[in-house]
Short mmCIF file of all heavy atoms in Angstrom, two decimals:
data_model
loop_
_atom_site.label_atom_id
_atom_site.label_comp_id
_atom_site.label_asym_id
_atom_site.label_seq_id
_atom_site.Cartn_x
_atom_site.Cartn_y
_atom_site.Cartn_z
N HIS A 49 144.17 51.46 139.28
CA HIS A 49 144.82 50.48 138.38
C HIS A 49 145.60 51.15 137.25
O HIS A 49 145.72 50.59 136.16
CB HIS A 49 143.75 49.56 137.79
CG HIS A 49 142.97 48.80 138.82
ND1 HIS A 49 143.45 47.69 139.46
CD2 HIS A 49 141.74 49.04 139.35
CE1 HIS A 49 142.56 47.24 140.33
NE2 HIS A 49 141.51 48.04 140.29
N LEU A 50 146.15 52.33 137.51
CA LEU A 50 146.82 53.09 136.46
C LEU A 50 147.91 52.26 135.76
O LEU A 50 148.72 51.61 136.41
CB LEU A 50 147.48 54.35 137.04
CG LEU A 50 146.53 55.34 137.72
CD1 LEU A 50 147.28 56.60 138.15
CD2 LEU A 50 145.37 55.69 136.79
N GLY A 51 147.90 52.29 134.44
CA GLY A 51 148.92 51.61 133.64
C GLY A 51 148.69 50.13 133.46
O GLY A 51 149.45 49.47 132.73
N LYS A 52 147.64 49.59 134.11
CA LYS A 52 147.39 48.14 134.00
C LYS A 52 146.60 47.79 132.74
O LYS A 52 145.78 48.57 132.26
CB LYS A 52 146.61 47.64 135.21
CG LYS A 52 147.46 47.54 136.47
CD LYS A 52 146.73 46.72 137.50
CE LYS A 52 147.33 46.94 138.88
NZ LYS A 52 146.37 46.65 139.94
N ALA A 53 146.84 46.57 132.25
CA ALA A 53 146.04 46.02 131.16
C ALA A 53 144.65 45.67 131.71
O ALA A 53 144.47 45.53 132.93
CB ALA A 53 146.72 44.78 130.61
N LEU A 72 145.36 47.68 125.61
CA LEU A 72 144.82 48.83 126.34
C LEU A 72 145.47 48.95 127.72
O LEU A 72 145.83 47.95 128.33
CB LEU A 72 143.30 48.71 126.47
CG LEU A 72 142.54 48.58 125.14
CD1 LEU A 72 141.04 48.44 125.38
CD2 LEU A 72 142.84 49.76 124.23
N ARG A 73 145.62 50.17 128.22
CA ARG A 73 146.20 50.42 129.54
C ARG A 73 145.36 51.46 130.27
O ARG A 73 144.93 52.45 129.68
CB ARG A 73 147.64 50.94 129.41
CG ARG A 73 148.61 49.93 128.79
CD ARG A 73 148.81 48.71 129.69
NE ARG A 73 149.73 47.73 129.10
CZ ARG A 73 149.35 46.69 128.34
NH1 ARG A 73 148.06 46.51 128.07
NH2 ARG A 73 150.23 45.85 127.86
N ALA A 74 145.20 51.22 131.57
CA ALA A 74 144.30 52.09 132.36
C ALA A 74 144.90 53.48 132.60
O ALA A 74 146.09 53.63 132.86
CB ALA A 74 143.99 51.43 133.69
N ARG A 75 144.04 54.46 132.52
CA ARG A 75 144.40 55.83 132.91
C ARG A 75 143.21 56.45 133.64
O ARG A 75 142.09 55.92 133.59
CB ARG A 75 144.78 56.67 131.70
CG ARG A 75 143.61 57.11 130.79
CD ARG A 75 144.10 58.17 129.83
NE ARG A 75 143.10 58.62 128.88
CZ ARG A 75 142.29 59.67 129.06
NH1 ARG A 75 142.30 60.36 130.20
NH2 ARG A 75 141.44 60.04 128.11
#
Side-chain angles (χ1 to χ4, degrees):
H49 301 282
L50 300 185
K52 286 195 197 156
L72 303 179
R73 296 294 180 268
R75 74 167 177 93

